[in-house]
Amino acid sequence: MKKSIYSLLLMVAAVFAFTACEDVPAPFDIPTQSNNQSGEPAEPTGSGTVADPYNVAAAIAVASALEAGAESTQDIFIKGKVVSIRENYTAQYGNAAFYISDDGTTKNQFLIYRALYLGNKKYTSGDLLNEGDEVIICGKVTNYNGTLETAQNKAFLYSLNGKTEGGAPQPAGEAKGSGTQADPYNPVAANNYTSSLGADVESTNDIFIKGKISRIANGGEFSAQYGNASFYISEDGTESGEFYVFRTLYLGNKKWANGDTQIRVGDEVVICGKVVNYRGNTPETVQNKSYIYSLNGTSEGGGGGETPTPGQPTGDGTLANPWNAVAANNYASSLPADTDSEKDYYIKGKIAKIANNGTFSAEYGNATFYISDDGTENNTFYVFRTLFLGNKKWESGNTQIKVGDEVIICGKVVNYRGNTPETVQNKSYIYSLNGSTSDDGGGTQPSNPDDGGAGSYSNPYSVSAAQAAGSGTGVYVKGFIVGYVEGQVYATGAHFTSDGCQVKTNILIAASATETNVENCMPIQLPSGDVRVGVNLQDNPGNYGKEVLLYGNIERYFGVTGVKSVTYAEIGGNGVGTKP
């Protein structure tokens, strides 16, 4: 294998669902060799499979890239010659510790630490090791406090001078399921999904995982002290293709108590909860945020007797039909990593959890919280640093938010780092808080309310909502003045400034005062009269960046959706024209 990929650090093998030492694709590429042994390092070769084992130089490189104390997630094959033996195989312990190198000399050695015998079994009888023997080792490697070695009892002698007795685990198998209650992930699919998350990033939603218990930690039982248990599950109850269920709660999403049924290897379980890619290399459930939904077919629900199902996406992202949290997650997740949505969208839900001690930040004027359909922490969407009502920064004295409040969020969304769907910082705002679209310090409705429907005075269309509506007669639209259109071509005639403006007949509005993407704007026709006199940028350059409320008709203008026949406007606290 050439060194064109050596500069890639080992990003953890958990991305791959299999844990096999069979003839499968290479578990991971070889990073730049790092070796604490003396001598000129050999060139790393091999792909770590049974058909193409790593040489010792490659094994050193792989182990060097691990954090101190971390193990490789997958088993790998390593080929070399025995240099010296620290502990030969004995019937008492069944394992051995010895050094191997590529050429059998003491240069660039790798420690095979307490490895099992041929067939992945403890040694009882057979050939003993000798210096110079050619071996192939299969197992996990670790960076044990700076010592590069195989993990104790997690590696074995696959081949001794060409003799082999098998023993390598079978491939993990095919990923199945969608993670829902009706179609749970199998452990392979759960590993795949969790490995796709960023290091230490929890899944936004609860997922369901089905499998058979293959191993149990802590003596094989729940802990009455902590009320949880840790164990591994696989599709068939073997140790192949396992998923780690870490400190999970009991049936009914409750702590385990004395007298509850214990678990055993072979039990079939369905797990419900959040998962995390711990330290970027260990897919597992989040401590105390998952529970046994079903044990051998018996279920007690969850969340205090209610089953938290993943929910169905609803809405289309418009003001008239906002997305729910599930639909918002689905759309944002479909975006390329770190790419903002082109348009503003509306998302409706109840506040489930609030960051920063539950308040808006007066320093930054925004807030961060989670919303869901029912106000629980199931299937939440992350509202990140959103502005207040009216698309303005929060100020001291404005109404605070609390868990259970119903909100409609308007703004752009992003798939942050490719794994966290959320709103874009300071590019979204609370459009509605418990039904109110403005704040007078107490959260009451604005003065002069009308019917409250979409496009009304008390509930005007945003730019994106007006664009989505496409047409409408006698409606209110609200946005920030961001420029004007010069000439006849919208795309090339848009100017995002008031400097040098020689146009009185139109303005551009957008959801944000700093918008410069013409696709996110609407052209507004200013008929002759009071509205044109009071709003246009040529005569009123100070209007640039101000929020304006307009009354007119949504129709095509400059070949795109705009507002024409405007007869009334409010800007800077003043009304111009004739209010209906």
Side-chain angles (χ1 to χ4, degrees), residues 291-305:
Y291 66 99
I292 297 180
Y293 173 77
S294 170
L295 175 60
N296 295 321
T298 298
S299 175
E300 295 181 6

Side-chain angles (χ1 to χ4, degrees), residues 396-418:
S396 296
N398 292 146
T399 302
Q400 283 289 357
I401 54 172
K402 60 186 183 298
V403 170
D405 282 345
E406 184 175 82
V407 295
I408 297 176
I409 305 299
C410 177
K412 291 181 170 56
V413 296
V414 64
N415 191 7
Y416 181 64
R417 293 188 177 178

Side-chain angles (χ1 to χ4, degrees), residues 13-28 47-54 72-78 120 136-141 154-156 158 166-174 188 191-192 238-242:
V15 176
F16 298 86
F18 55 81
T19 59
C21 280
E22 292 297 309
D23 190 5
V24 292
F28 35 70
S47 57
T49 64
V50 65
D52 184 30
Y54 286 139
S72 62
T73 306
Q74 300 176 85
D75 296 331
I76 61 174
F77 284 92
I78 312 164
N120 201 7
I136 297 176
I137 305 300
C138 175
K140 291 180 170 60
V141 297
K154 294 184 180 180
F156 70 99
Y158 178 77
Q170 294 299 311
E174 178 185 359
V188 176
N191 274 316
N192 288 356
T238 69
E239 294 184 18
S240 177
E242 293 175 319

